[in-house]
Amino acid sequence: MEPESPRRNLPVSSPAPSRHGLRRYFPILDWSRSYNRAVLTSDLVAALIVTIMLIPQSLAYALLAGLPPEMGLYASILPLVAYAIFGTSRALAVGPVAVVSLMTAAAAGNLAAQGTPEYIAAAITLAFLSGLMLMVMGVFRLGFLANFLSHPVIAGFITASGILIATSQLKHIFGVSAGGHNLIDLVHSLVRHLPETNLITLAIGGATIAFLFWVRRGLKPLLSSLGLKPRLADLLAKAGPVAAVFVSILAVWVFGLEARGVAVVGDVPMGLPPLTLPSFSMDLWGQIFVSALLISIIGFVESVSVAQTLAAKKRQRIQPDQELIGLGASNIAAAMSGGYPVTGGFARSVVNFDAGAETPAAGAFTALGIALAALVLTPLLYLLPKAVLAATIIVAVLSLVDFSILKRTWGYNRVDFAAVAVTILLTLAIGVEVGVSAGVLLSIGLFLYRTSKPHVAEVGLVPGTQHFRNITRHEVETSPELLTIRIDESLYFANAHFLQDLIYDRLACDQPIRHVVLMCSAVNEIDTSALESLEAINTRLGEMGIKLHMSEVKGPVMDRLKRSHFLQEMSGEVFLSQYDAHVALTGSPVRDLRGAAE
């Protein structure tokens, strides 16, 4: 990428948290103030490149979702305009993506057969309901909920989805009829129909896959070696899928391949997206509610992770809560214009970023390009082989497959490995909805499991310092009358009894303990259940003639404790530092440590 001039270092891409009013919900009011001719040029160039990439992708992902190809184009027009108004990322490119398309197919396929009006209505309603959920979460600032999805689990789900998507498209490569919602059914169906393979279709699909892989790695270096400028070489390399589309259409026309069994896209209506309305049947909403929620969560996580990565490269910021509103508005726009669920795509966002997009206006210009294609180019797509679109999908999704996550988690954390493995296996063996549901539940379960058994250490004084460390890891000073427990986690309902049991077990010894100090330097929260446990510990220790103390309690935690009766009933004291507690309770003289090495 070329070095950036000072002119291109625009202000941060989202309003500061302190801003209120219209700018909170309309980030366009911020970035549009800095808009100038240089930024316009950059956005137009990026839009041209992304439009070239998005036309075959939109058609292909609609095919993956089991929808008419024009719905892929419709989902790439108004949603991009809506994101340009409400979104905070300067580089995120919104539109149909592989994983969400697969989830749409799974959800709508449970209700109706592909190609039926009921199926299409379910997909449109899915976009509307998903958009509604995202908007509500954004207004109530619930973006933090995405943090409950662990990255390893999401990586496992996306890897399994990539395998499922690629396998589901092999039927178009072989030119056979096959189906299934999981890997076992898909493979079994493919094997059963392999004798029906259309060799011409296989040749077209195989050649397209090989060509697209070569375009990704070899075309740009080749063009650069021929003396083309980097920007032009990059543009031509990104146009590789369009070249595959053009050549394949020409081949079908010249050699009459449709009559020889090569499946083609067929009629694609010419014109702008129609005004559509989702179904407001509560019956249908109830049937797709969980699917819409899962699509919303997965789409948001994928989108925000891409947006944050790209924003960091230019020292910009995004606002996750406003991103929820931006993505919600995009999905509602998709539902109102004959589209289906959309989110920010990784591949096209990276292309948008590398092409020099400076503002979300690049997305709006891309929408204009797609609209122009829908008005003018759709009749030319009649003879486009479905095998070429399937090849486009396969090449795109294979980059999602990352089995290295299994190796990394196996070496670092076996619990994470188990979660990733279960997510992958369930997604492949049962289906995408079960897989993503399992991923969500596993992420929450892992959080509860880890925090229900927090790391708790008995600590002692490091000689010559005022620092306290784990007695099993360091040479420290301790007193037989004093037990100091450092709690390395917030205390809440899931781990409150764990702390009780640990203290009671530790006191079951011959040591003449008279004081127990809870060192709370890592405790950010004490909920009502944990408070009740502390009261129980205080009562039990009092019956044993032992005083309970606390040290290094954080301000917000202390404020909450002061609103209860616990501090008045506690048998001991609250010390500002653990060293103060050690000196007061052991009777050790205060030492001058100004010259001591720490």
Side-chain angles (χ1 to χ4, degrees), residues 25 78 145 202 227 236 308 334 395 401 417 423 483 499 503 519:
Y25 296 105
L78 282 189
L145 293 176
L202 179 60
L236 292 176
Q308 287 176 332
V395 172
V401 178
F417 169 81
T423 302
L483 171 64
L499 179 64
I503 292 176
M519 185 175 173

Side-chain angles (χ1 to χ4, degrees), residues 81-133:
V81 176
Y83 185 82
I85 297 171
F86 296 99
T88 63
S89 170
R90 305 225 170 196
L92 191 71
V94 171
V97 300
V99 173
V100 170
S101 297
L102 179 65
M103 295 175 73
T104 299
N110 290 332
L111 304 174
Q114 288 189 8
T116 61
E118 293 78 15
Y119 187 95
I120 293 172
I124 290 173
T125 306
L126 204 57
F128 183 78
L129 188 53
S130 175
L132 218 57
M133 290 176 176

